[in-house]
Amino acid sequence: MTQPTARVRMPSVASVEDVAALEGRICQPEDWDLLLGAGSPPTRVYAAGGQLVAVYLPAVLAGTGPFVGAYGALHELRKRTSDNRGNYAITAKKDWQGEGRAWDGKRYRNVNPDGTLSRSTRAATVASSIVGYFGRDGRFKYCRETAYTAQDPAGWKTIVPLCSAVHGLMRQHVKRRCLAQERFVGKIPSAYTIADTPFTTLTVNNSVSAGYHFDAGDYRPGFGAMTYYRRGEYTGGELCFPRHRFAIDAQEGDVIFFDPHEMHGMPPMEGVGPKMSPAEGGWERISVVLYARANMSKCLPLKQELARARRRAEELAERPL
């Protein structure tokens, strides 16, 4: 029997400016007055002004075919690490120091062979991967598949049904936001969208905590979506929304729809046994974040983007060493 949905309005206890000052800090238990999680009913959380902040749907995907079928590929993604996750990788300075690195307070810069500092900043290395599709950004002046999507089509094929399942729930529980995102993604060439869903991209985090941050680059009228896999015993990792004083301790198969432009973060996790190794008696927490990247609206049909990629390669080849 489906549980009735609870509706909660939380006080917005700080201004947008005050909350912005929290960026990069770690969520603490004193940052919330309401904790949703094991035993909680489906819940819609609203800001003091009535705006929807998040929808919590416990265990809606647990045990389903798309959810179970995606686990193997998502678990394997732990091997693909990143040192470019910004506030996702807040940690101690001692963990970032090393030969060839220069500390700048939160991130480090690589030291070039000539002793100058790289213009690119880096963070601590974490098991966080972006899969699906990218728009034009930085050095890449063309839309493209992510490396994982191109290199492991078999694994990617098992993840796509999970995206479709989340889409169905999004249509049901945040319909207005979902329809807006569907219209946006529907204008993007299909070569750069995830099947028939309103998503272009996923971020897959394995046992990763996150300093307080805003998600940059998401399509603003839409909503973000998350689902979770839990293995073994661990504590921490609650999804915190400090402005509205609530957090969610997500369980296996839960789905959360949320406004990614609200400040949010997750405290560090501590578990029993080796991290990311449930088969060896350890623990693991995979969070899958699904969203539409706003800059994908600039993507052209595949042949035109490939032509842009070729021109970019030629430009780089002509640069002096």
Side-chain angles (χ1 to χ4, degrees):
M1 183 176 177
T2 303
Q3 289 180 286
T5 299
R7 294 173 180 266
V8 179
R9 181 171 293 197
M10 299 299 293
S12 299
V13 298
S15 68
V16 173
E17 294 75 18
D18 288 341
V19 170
L22 295 174
E23 190 163 13
R25 298 184 186 180
I26 298 296
C27 170
Q28 303 293 333
E30 54 265 29
D31 290 350
W32 67 73
D33 297 319
L34 171 69
L35 179 63
L36 301 173
S40 298
T43 305
R44 301 175 71 87
V45 182
Y46 295 86
Q51 306 94 332
L52 183 63
V53 179
V55 178
Y56 173 57
L57 304 174
V60 285
L61 289 179
T64 65
F67 184 79
V68 174
Y71 174 74
L74 295 171
H75 176 67
E76 283 298 302
L77 275 166
R78 75 194 187 284
K79 299 174 182 176
R80 293 175 177 256
T81 58
S82 172
D83 63 356
N84 192 29
R85 298 298 291 128
N87 287 334
Y88 256 90
I90 294 295
T91 185
K93 178 179 176 180
K94 65 179 177 59
D95 296 329
W96 298 10
Q97 290 176 318
E99 186 176 352
R101 296 177 179 181
W103 171 262
D104 75 357
K106 286 187 176 180
R107 293 159 70 82
Y108 65 80
R109 295 178 185 271
N110 289 332
V111 179
N112 295 322
D114 63 1
T116 61
L117 295 181
S118 169
R119 290 182 296 176
S120 299
T121 60
R122 290 290 181 257
T125 300
V126 292
S128 180
S129 300
I130 298 178
V131 302
Y133 305 94
F134 279 134
R136 302 172 196 163
D137 50 50
R139 295 171 297 164
F140 298 94
K141 308 302 182 183
Y142 50 90
C143 298
R144 61 207 185 277
E145 291 179 306
T146 62
Y148 171 78
T149 307
Q151 295 168 4
D152 190 356
W156 176 237
K157 186 176 180 180
T158 68
I159 295 172
V160 171
L162 176 66
C163 302
S164 297
V166 173
H167 177 202
L169 292 165
M170 189 177 187
R171 259 289 187 100
Q172 181 180 352
H173 293 277
V174 283
K175 187 172 183 178
R176 181 175 62 83
R177 296 277 195 160
C178 184
L179 291 175
Q181 198 159 309
E182 286 177 357
R183 288 191 292 269
F184 170 75
V185 172
K187 297 176 183 178
I188 299 170
S190 60
Y192 305 108
T193 64
I194 300 174
D196 58 352
T197 76
F199 309 119
T200 62
T201 316
L202 313 180
T203 299
V204 181
N205 302 306
N206 195 315
S207 310
V208 177
S209 60
Y212 280 133
H213 65 283
F214 303 101
D215 288 354
D218 291 22
Y219 176 61
R220 187 167 285 276
F223 245 29
M226 297 180 74
T227 189
Y228 294 81
Y229 295 78
R230 293 182 65 133
R231 300 288 186 275
E233 298 180 31
Y234 70 86
T235 58
E238 297 88 352
L239 178 61
C240 309
F241 293 88
R243 187 179 179 212
H244 307 292
R245 304 285 307 167
F246 76 96
I248 302 171
D249 184 15
Q251 307 295 305
E252 174 86 357
D254 291 355
V255 171
I256 301 169
F257 297 110
F258 69 106
D259 184 347
H261 303 103
E262 288 282 353
M263 180 73 78
H264 57 283
M266 291 165 282
M269 289 165 273
E270 296 290 339
V272 176
K275 182 179 177 179
M276 297 188 293
S277 302
E280 300 169 13
W283 64 281
E284 175 180 59
R285 202 283 293 278
I286 299 174
S287 61
V288 183
V289 190
L290 307 90
Y291 50 98
R293 297 175 72 94
N295 69 349
M296 303 292 281
S297 63
K298 299 178 182 179
C299 293
L300 300 171
L302 179 60
K303 287 185 179 179
Q304 291 172 260
E305 290 294 339
L306 290 175
R308 288 180 64 92
R310 285 192 293 270
R311 287 196 298 272
R312 180 61 173 167
E314 291 167 0
E315 291 171 4
L316 293 175
E318 293 171 359
R319 287 186 178 180
L321 296 176

